[in-house]
Structure formats: structure tokens, C-alpha cells
């Protein structure tokens, strides 16, 4: 009889795959136009691809273990997968921002500031009313998110979001064996 993989063991390969796909998408966007990395559309497309891959691999794992999976197993599988892919993505981004193009954080901070000012205008606020030192502070805080410590800190905060995503994915991929009901 073949021994079943634990959710952790089963999550390693999908986590690495999703992480590498995430890094590839990030680098592709960077090579096309680096300002895409600050775009909301880029984030939305990446999130859809991310969700689709996790659900795909989750259903594949469910099939491998007999076609049924409890919510707890589904949550463990998806959370571990997301953490592994997040670590791979973190390494890829650290390389991008500190080895490939160390000037990129400044470019993205400027782009984010520009987008923020445009959003303020859309809500009826006048961006010219912001003091220059406050605009510099926004830019500096945004740029600090791209430092190695900033990225690690964001990954830590991201664990909360990863858990929420895992709850949603687990609800989608779980499947109860109704033949066991009395």
C-alpha cells in the first residue's frame, strides 16, 4: 500500500512551483515596464493566478489522498503552500530590489506617490494641500518597504493575509465523504 503524503510534504512542490511562477511574473513585469510592479492591475492579476494555482494543486492533492479532504487538512495544505511560495517570492524580490536593480525601490516609491496623489484628486482632495515634508515622509515610508527588513516585516504581516486566503481556499477544496454519514 502506498503511503500518503502529509499536507506539509504535499505542499512543498506546489509551494515552490507557485513561488517560482510568482517570481517569473514579477520579473516579466519588471522587464516589460517596471512601473507595472506598482500597478493595482498587476497585483490583481497576480492574485488571480495565485488563487487559481493553489486551488488547482489543492484539488490535485485531494485526488491523490482518495478524493476526500477535511477542512483542517485543506487549510494546512494551502497555508503551507502559500508560506513556501511566499518565501520563494521574498527571495526573488530581495534579489530584484537589491542585486538586479537597486534603484527600483526609488522608482516604485515615486510611482506609488504619484498614484496616491491621483487617488486623492479622484476623491476631491487637492494634493497641493499636502506639505512637502509629508509627501517626503510618504515616499520614504514606501521606499522603506523595499529594504530587506521592510520586505521581511511585510512577509510577517502577510502571514495574516495568507491565513485568510488559506481559509477561503480550504473551504473551496475540502470534500467530505458523505458515505460515512449515518
Amino acid at each position: 500500500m502506498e503511503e500518503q503524503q502529509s499536507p506539509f510534504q504535499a505542499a512543498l512542490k506546489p509551494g515552490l512551483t507557485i513561488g517560482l511562477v510568482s517570481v517569473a511574473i514579477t520579473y516579466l513585469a519588471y522587464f516589460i515596464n517596471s512601473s507595472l510592479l506598482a500597478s493595482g492591475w498587476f497585483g490583481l492579476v497576480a492574485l488571480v493566478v495565485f488563487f487559481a494555482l493553489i486551488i488547482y494543486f489543492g484539488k490535485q492533492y485531494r485526488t491523490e489522498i482518495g478524493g476526500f479532504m477535511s477542512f483542517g487538512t485543506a487549510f494546512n495544505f494551502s497555508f503551507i503552500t502559500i508560506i513556501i511560495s511566499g518565501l520563494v517570492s521574498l527571495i526573488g524580490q530581495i534579489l530584484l530590489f537589491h542585486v538586479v536593480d537597486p534603484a527600483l525601490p526609488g522608482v516604485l516609491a515615486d510611482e506609488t506617490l504619484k498614484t496616491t496623489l491621483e487617488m486623492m484628486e479622484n476623491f476631491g482632495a487637492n494634493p497641493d494641500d499636502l506639505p512637502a515634508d509629508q509627501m517626503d515622509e510618504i515616499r520614504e515610508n514606501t521606499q522603506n518597504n523595499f529594504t530587506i527588513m521592510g520586505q521581511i516585516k511585510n512577509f510577517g504581516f502577510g502571514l495574516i493575509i495568507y491565513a485568510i486566503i488559506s481559509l477561503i481556499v480550504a473551504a473551496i477544496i475540502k470534500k467530505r465523504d458523505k458515505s460515512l454519514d449515518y
Side-chain angles (χ1 to χ4, degrees):
M1 185 173 154
E2 188 178 313
E3 189 176 319
Q4 292 181 351
Q5 291 182 320
S6 71
F8 180 79
Q9 293 167 326
L12 284 173
K13 186 176 176 186
L16 290 171
T17 302
I18 294 170
L20 291 173
V21 167
S22 176
V23 169
I25 290 171
T26 301
Y27 277 74
L28 184 65
Y30 167 73
F31 288 123
I32 290 172
N33 182 355
S34 62
S35 65
L36 287 174
L37 296 173
S39 164
W41 288 106
F42 172 76
L44 185 62
V45 167
L47 188 64
V48 168
V49 169
F50 189 69
F51 256 107
L53 287 172
I54 293 170
I55 291 169
Y56 170 78
F57 285 120
K59 287 184 175 183
Q60 190 176 39
Y61 176 57
R62 182 180 72 196
T63 302
E64 289 173 12
I65 62 172
F68 301 103
M69 185 170 18
S70 70
F71 180 81
T73 301
F75 174 78
N76 287 338
F77 172 81
S78 59
F79 191 59
I80 293 165
T81 300
I82 292 171
I83 288 174
I84 292 168
S85 70
L87 288 171
V88 172
S89 294
L90 177 65
I91 292 167
Q93 289 177 6
I94 288 172
L95 288 173
L96 177 63
F97 297 136
H98 299 282
V99 176
V100 175
D101 190 353
L104 184 59
V107 171
L108 294 179
D110 290 339
E111 191 66 32
T112 303
L113 181 61
K114 183 177 130 189
T115 304
T116 303
L117 295 176
E118 288 172 1
M119 196 180 312
M120 286 176 62
E121 277 184 20
N122 290 339
F123 286 118
N126 186 359
D128 295 331
D129 291 344
L130 278 176
D133 59 329
Q134 191 173 7
M135 287 181 42
D136 291 340
E137 184 180 339
I138 292 170
R139 185 181 187 287
E140 184 178 330
N141 288 339
T142 303
Q143 200 163 358
N144 285 341
N145 287 332
F146 297 107
T147 64
I148 292 176
M149 283 311 298
Q151 288 179 298
I152 291 170
K153 184 172 68 171
N154 288 339
F155 178 78
F157 289 131
L159 289 174
I160 296 167
I161 295 168
Y162 292 168
I164 293 168
I165 291 171
S166 295
L167 288 170
I168 295 167
V169 170
I172 293 169
I173 64 175
K174 72 172 173 57
K175 187 173 184 182
R176 189 169 52 100
D177 186 356
K178 294 181 181 168
S179 69
L180 299 177
D181 291 346
Y182 304 139

